[in-house]
Amino acid sequence: MDENDYPREEFSAEDFGGSGPEDGLLEEELRQAAAVLDPVPAGLLQLALDAYALHDLDARIAELTFDSLVDALPVRGVPQAPRMLTFQAGELTVDVEVTGDGLIGQLLPPGSARVEVLGGPQTVRPVPVDTLGRFTSDAPPTGPFALRLRTGGDVIVTEWLRA
């Protein structure tokens, strides 16, 4: 006989006295005590954040094919021209203009998609896409950012760039 021959019983919180409001208070007190007495090491926290960033590991990466900071000639008389970016992922092209007021972009060919502006492990701003594939974000990126596109069953992520 081995351990698989014995019947398994499933238990819930109710079997041990319930999960009333006082249980929530006790849990919060225990969390606070653990945070003070045994805080999470900074290195471990960074590893957890890095691991979370990989949760789209099966996503296709959109290659940066044009960046006006690198590939374009400066225009005389225009002190701060908007930054123009072009990403390519298979047949999909994403054109993005980064300004001090936000992002303006278009997906080519146009189609139904959901665009999210990523600004860190906990910052995701969904951006609506119209029928022509155009999207705008009124919040300018303040640090490193990337775009995540969900088109049908595909997930496409751009590389991270500084605004």
Side-chain angles (χ1 to χ4, degrees):
M1 243 189 203
D2 64 1
E3 63 186 41
N4 294 330
D5 293 332
Y6 297 105
R8 296 189 68 124
E9 294 186 38
E10 298 295 323
F11 297 102
S12 65
E14 288 79 23
D15 295 329
F16 295 102
S19 59
E22 59 277 348
D23 290 341
L25 294 173
L26 176 61
E27 181 180 351
E28 182 57 33
E29 287 179 19
L30 290 172
R31 286 183 192 275
Q32 290 176 2
V36 171
L37 299 173
D38 190 20
V40 176
L44 181 61
L45 182 60
Q46 186 59 46
L47 282 173
L49 293 173
D50 293 344
Y52 177 76
L54 295 175
H55 78 278
D56 277 334
L57 197 55
D58 60 341
R60 293 188 347 211
I61 303 296
E63 178 185 359
L64 179 65
T65 58
F66 178 81
D67 183 348
S68 63
L69 290 180
V70 177
D71 302 320
L73 295 173
V75 177
R76 177 185 275 176
V78 180
Q80 290 194 343
R83 184 176 184 184
M84 305 298 291
L85 304 166
T86 301
F87 299 95
Q88 187 80 33
E91 299 295 317
L92 181 68
T93 301
V94 183
D95 289 321
V96 181
E97 180 178 325
V98 182
T99 69
D101 297 328
L103 301 175
I104 301 170
Q106 184 171 17
L107 308 177
L108 298 169
S112 64
R114 195 171 87 210
V115 174
E116 299 166 335
V117 179
L118 309 175
Q122 297 176 346
T123 307
V124 175
R125 291 187 316 269
V127 179
V129 179
D130 69 11
T131 57
L132 297 176
R134 299 176 300 193
F135 60 92
T136 60
S137 171
D138 294 336
T142 57
F145 74 98
L147 299 176
R148 181 187 304 138
L149 302 101
R150 299 182 190 275
T151 60
D154 290 336
V155 178
I156 300 169
V157 179
T158 67
E159 63 183 82
W160 286 82
L161 298 168
R162 286 215 168 264

